[in-house]
Amino acid sequence: MSAPNKSYDPVEVATLSPDEVQRMVDDALAAVAAASDLDELKAVRLAHAGDRAPIALANAEIGALPPAARAEAGKRIGAARAAVRTALAQRQDELETERDARVLVEEAADVTLPWDRLPAGARHPVTTVAERLTDVFVAMGYEVAEGPEVEDEWYNFDALNFPPDHPAREQYDTIFVAGPDGTAHSGVVLRTHTSPVQIRAMLSRPLPLYVVSPGKCFRTDTLDATHSPVFHQIEGLAVDEGLTMADLRGAIGAFVEAMFGAGLRTRLRPDFFPFTEPSADVSMECHVCRGASTRPGAEPCRVCRSQGWIEIAGAGMVNPRVLVACGIDPDRYSGFAFGLGIERTLMIRHGVTDIRDTVDGDVRFSRAFGMEA
Ligand code: PHE
């Protein structure tokens, strides 16, 4: 074994010679400068700064140098690598800036293009009819009262004088809300009518009381031309001293005239609701044929099916038991109430024959009713 050669030439490994390393750096910098987009620069990075790049391969040779020469060569390679890295980073910046500037130009949006060519929407006629009905009563001094759609059974039935197992509860095709533990009868229902708002109003407002309550109702009906499991009603309630059925007739007459035209007669026939006594089924004179279709030989009327009358609402004098349930003295106060279907009112007023048109959500249906605010 020979002694270490003190005058060993550190440039023994050719690839590590200063000239050679400088050549690799020059090559790399020239390639970086020549890269004209980010993809090209990526290829340059791989070729000149990757694991198989000449500088990386030269670096691997450092181990072959005698120990005394390694530090010197390591510095040289480190400096070379740093120079290449810096050049790459600078070029990357330049190319990204160029690209961003280009994208801004190429993908610019012309914000001066007309924006109002989108077809206008339209308010839903169920909303506008509900508002119109509400306005009729607000103009007579009624206040708007609202209640929850997910309602306590007590408000929807019990307080309205439906005894627990009374068949009238069944008539309402109730959707019961399951309890958190899965029990079918949690005591909560989707309200089947707007009448529970009567109870809430009587319990929370001072007397005398005049309220009108439009709102959504739910029943287990299957959707067909004349039924919808989700529909709307509007409820009216008055509680005051000395109210009689004459006042009820007056209120009904007012909304019929406002909705369907002046001079239309109304008719009350006996009916049954647990929360009103007496109860009535309200009809109005057909606003289309005004009864003419009932005469022998006359043109038939599609709207009233030649009956001359159209059923529009349920109504009655508030049952004293309901007043008592709400802490109102039935010897001093009396009340009347009525409820009508908004979809039904809409269908009668505008000759809509299929209730499904009101739930389809086709804007063309709504638009046909105009842009009423
Ligand atoms: N709530 C009744 C129904 O949905 C209608 C009604 C309201 C009847 C008010 C009388 C008084 O059938």
Side-chain angles (χ1 to χ4, degrees), residues 26-36 41 44-45 48 83-84 86-92 94-95:
D26 291 346
D27 276 1
L29 298 189
V32 167
S36 62
L41 191 66
V44 170
R45 179 177 290 110
H48 294 276
V84 174
T86 308
L88 278 166
Q90 269 175 14
R91 189 72 186 131
Q92 177 84 18
E94 283 167 24
L95 291 173

Side-chain angles (χ1 to χ4, degrees), residues 172 192-195 198 219 233 235 273 275-276 314-316 337-339:
Y172 280 86
T192 56
H193 50 175
T194 41
S195 298
Q198 289 186 23
R219 296 189 192 172
Q233 286 189 340
E235 187 94 8
F273 299 102
F275 41 95
T276 45
F338 52 85

